[in-house]
Amino acid sequence: TPAPDFTVADTSGKPVKLSDYRGKFVVLEWTNPECPFVRKHYNSQNMQGLQKEWGAKDVVWLTINSTNASHSEYKTPDEMAKWMTVQQAAPKATLIDGTSAMARAYAAKNTPHMFVIDPSGKIIYDGAIDDKRSTNPADVKIANNYVRAALTEATAGKPVSVASTTPYGCTMKY
């Protein structure tokens, strides 16, 4: 499926456009700091480890907070930037989708909901980060990480063996 193009501001207000990254693998990570499933992956350093590992391999990692600005869990760009700094996160950019338009375009359901886009602009993975549907950080060590598997296969020129899973986590705050 072709990935919907978008232009969304990052935490500093700079517009980020998906089509600017054509020719590269891109990961879209939907996040919400209030979600215990998201905290599992950040408190265990799993998400930051993936961001650093794949960023070093020239994969563009974009973290998106699509919590609607009218929702009590909404984070301002400054709040989101501060949280990402405290977490020692390493995405290429953290995007603020306060109208939830980008989340709707991708039909993002949960946080974390993960997408991998190939250099031609096609979605090659859509779903959960892994197969351990829990909030326990210890589960990260024994989980089958679908995002790592998809990126490993795709960057080696192989087809993605598991291209879609059911995402789990907190519901998107539209």
Side-chain angles (χ1 to χ4, degrees):
T1 310
D5 198 12
F6 58 80
T7 302
V8 177
D10 68 11
T11 55
S12 67
K14 178 185 169 211
V16 174
K17 191 172 185 177
L18 177 63
S19 57
D20 288 345
Y21 299 111
R22 186 55 76 70
K24 295 181 181 259
F25 285 95
V26 177
V27 173
L28 303 179
E29 166 212 344
W30 262 271
T31 195
N32 175 352
E34 300 298 320
C35 176
F37 294 93
V38 168
R39 287 195 304 265
K40 162 191 167 178
H41 290 285
Y42 276 92
N43 291 344
S44 67
Q45 298 293 304
N46 182 49
M47 197 67 78
Q48 302 94 314
L50 289 167
Q51 293 164 348
K52 291 171 186 170
E53 174 187 351
W54 292 100
K57 296 176 184 177
D58 205 29
V59 171
V60 175
W61 193 289
L62 301 174
T63 300
I64 307 106
N65 188 334
S66 287
T67 301
N68 193 283
S70 66
H71 195 278
S72 64
E73 292 182 12
Y74 174 76
K75 301 286 184 243
T76 66
D78 285 345
E79 290 169 328
M80 198 64 210
K82 186 179 197 179
W83 187 78
M84 294 296 279
T85 299
V86 167
Q87 298 302 316
Q88 299 177 322
K92 176 82 170 167
T94 301
L95 310 182
I96 304 296
D97 177 32
T99 64
S100 308
M102 184 179 170
R104 284 188 181 90
Y106 280 82
K109 295 172 180 53
N110 302 89
T111 56
H113 192 154
M114 309 294 294
F115 291 82
V116 178
I117 301 166
D118 75 6
S120 73
K122 291 182 187 156
I123 297 171
I124 57 171
Y125 178 75
D126 168 2
I129 186 169
D130 64 26
D131 64 351
K132 296 296 178 199
R133 299 173 162 291
S134 81
T135 58
N136 183 351
D139 285 345
V140 166
K141 292 179 179 147
I142 57 170
N144 175 20
N145 191 300
Y146 297 126
V147 174
R148 177 177 283 121
L151 285 167
T152 298
E153 291 171 340
T155 58
K158 298 177 183 172
V160 175
S161 55
V162 178
S164 179
T165 61
T166 302
Y168 70 87
C170 301
T171 57
M172 193 64 64
K173 306 304 185 224
Y174 290 114

